[in-house]
Amino acid sequence: MEEPEEIALARSEDARDLLPLMVAFNEAEGILWRPESMIPALHRVLDDDDLGLILVARVGVRRPLVGYSLATFGYDLEFAGRDAFVTEIFVEPGSRRRGLGRTLLESTVQHLRERNVNAVHLMVRPDNQRALALYEAQGFKVSPRLMMTKELTPNRSS
């Protein structure tokens, strides 16, 4: 019998176990992993509830982390206040196709709702059909606008 999953708010002491999952997420998304800036940013979110939240997913007796989500807060008049952006959601390959991603997303949205968030945004690669289907099934819709980004800090390469 498969062990039940646990979704919980991440704590500072989870940072070490989160790092391999975060590296894997960034690699899968084609994002350069920059530990000198990304690790301090992780600790800052873990230590400051006003910035956002991280949920972690565990399965099994030893309870290793097998997934996580990261949402950060914003504020938008269009949504009459606080909004949030799910910037990362990841389940390790060996734990996929069991509904854990759906559970992690639902838990993230619930935690955001409890923090008076009025809208939740996320991005997905157009070729990621599984993720698109999951997000659409959870009520996410394609915005009629394109998201554009301008980095204000130099992009450091290793």
Side-chain angles (χ1 to χ4, degrees):
M1 180 177 205
E2 190 170 311
E3 295 286 337
E5 69 230 11
E6 175 194 43
I7 308 291
L9 279 170
R11 302 176 316 251
S12 292
E13 50 270 18
D14 291 317
R16 184 178 52 96
D17 295 330
L18 268 165
L19 287 174
L21 296 175
M22 296 180 86
V23 169
F25 168 82
N26 281 273
E27 182 178 300
E29 290 293 313
I31 300 168
L32 177 65
W33 175 251
R34 298 183 319 263
E36 70 283 353
S37 60
M38 292 174 153
I39 292 173
L42 165 64
H43 286 283
R44 189 159 177 221
V45 171
L46 286 169
D47 294 337
D48 188 344
D49 292 339
D50 289 332
L51 293 177
L53 59 88
I54 300 174
L55 296 181
V56 292
R58 293 178 171 86
V59 177
V61 177
R62 288 188 18 239
R63 312 207 58 74
L65 296 185
V66 296
Y68 76 98
S69 66
L70 166 60
T72 57
F73 298 130
Y75 192 91
D76 195 319
L77 297 180
E78 178 180 352
F79 303 109
R82 191 179 239 192
D83 64 350
F85 209 108
V86 177
T87 62
E88 300 181 21
I89 185 165
F90 182 78
V91 174
E92 70 172 7
S95 297
R96 292 180 185 163
R97 301 185 58 88
R98 300 182 204 164
L100 189 54
R102 177 183 38 78
T103 302
L104 193 54
L105 182 59
E106 289 171 350
S107 295
T108 301
V109 170
Q110 183 57 38
H111 277 272
L112 294 171
R113 196 174 304 217
E114 291 167 4
R115 286 162 177 74
N116 299 314
V117 169
N118 295 332
V120 181
H121 318 283
L122 53 75
M123 289 190 298
V124 60
R125 293 188 178 277
D127 61 340
N128 190 341
Q129 294 302 311
R130 281 194 181 126
L132 275 167
L134 168 66
Y135 301 150
E136 287 172 351
Q138 294 298 311
F140 286 85
K141 296 177 182 141
V142 174
S143 170
R145 296 176 221 140
L146 293 176
M147 179 168 175
M148 299 174 69
T149 303
K150 177 179 179 173
E151 291 191 38
L152 300 179
T153 58
N155 190 359
R156 296 170 215 102
S157 58
S158 2

